[in-house]
Amino acid sequence: LITYPALGLCPLEEAHKLVERGDNTYGGKYVINPSGGLEAKGNPIGATGLGMHFYILMQLRDWAGPMQAPNLFDTPDKRGKFGLVHNIGLGGAVVVSLLRRPEFFKPGGVDGRT
């Protein structure tokens, strides 16, 4: 709830409304933590950032199975929408990454190129 306004997902002090409307899950405006977040992964300290990026990669390749975010590719640009990774770590470390499918991506291939 603290980071939703900081990321621009809602106005300051209205994060609770975003949650109440269901705009932070499937069917809402954003799909946030469809994997269950870090608690579902056991919060692996060293691998947290890598795991978060890997999960967004799976979404952008349409390989997330039953956890696939709906309507991700319902856009004129066939690269789809963006995936956002946000992590606050120990000691004040902060990482924000904005990921998107590359233009060379080909659905159905084993590596996204073939």
Side-chain angles (χ1 to χ4, degrees), residues 31-91:
V31 179
I32 300 172
N33 287 333
S35 68
L38 295 179
E39 288 185 24
K41 296 177 181 66
N43 197 8
I45 304 283
T48 294
L50 181 63
M52 295 167 83
H53 283 83
F54 175 77
Y55 189 77
I56 294 296
L57 173 138
M58 297 297 282
Q59 289 284 335
L60 294 174
R61 290 187 176 190
D62 200 15
W63 293 353
M67 292 187 290
Q68 183 66 44
N71 307 319
L72 188 59
F73 305 104
D74 294 347
T75 173
D77 188 330
K78 291 306 168 197
R79 291 180 295 169
K81 298 176 184 174
F82 292 90
L84 177 74
V85 175
H86 176 261
N87 188 22
I88 300 174
L90 296 173

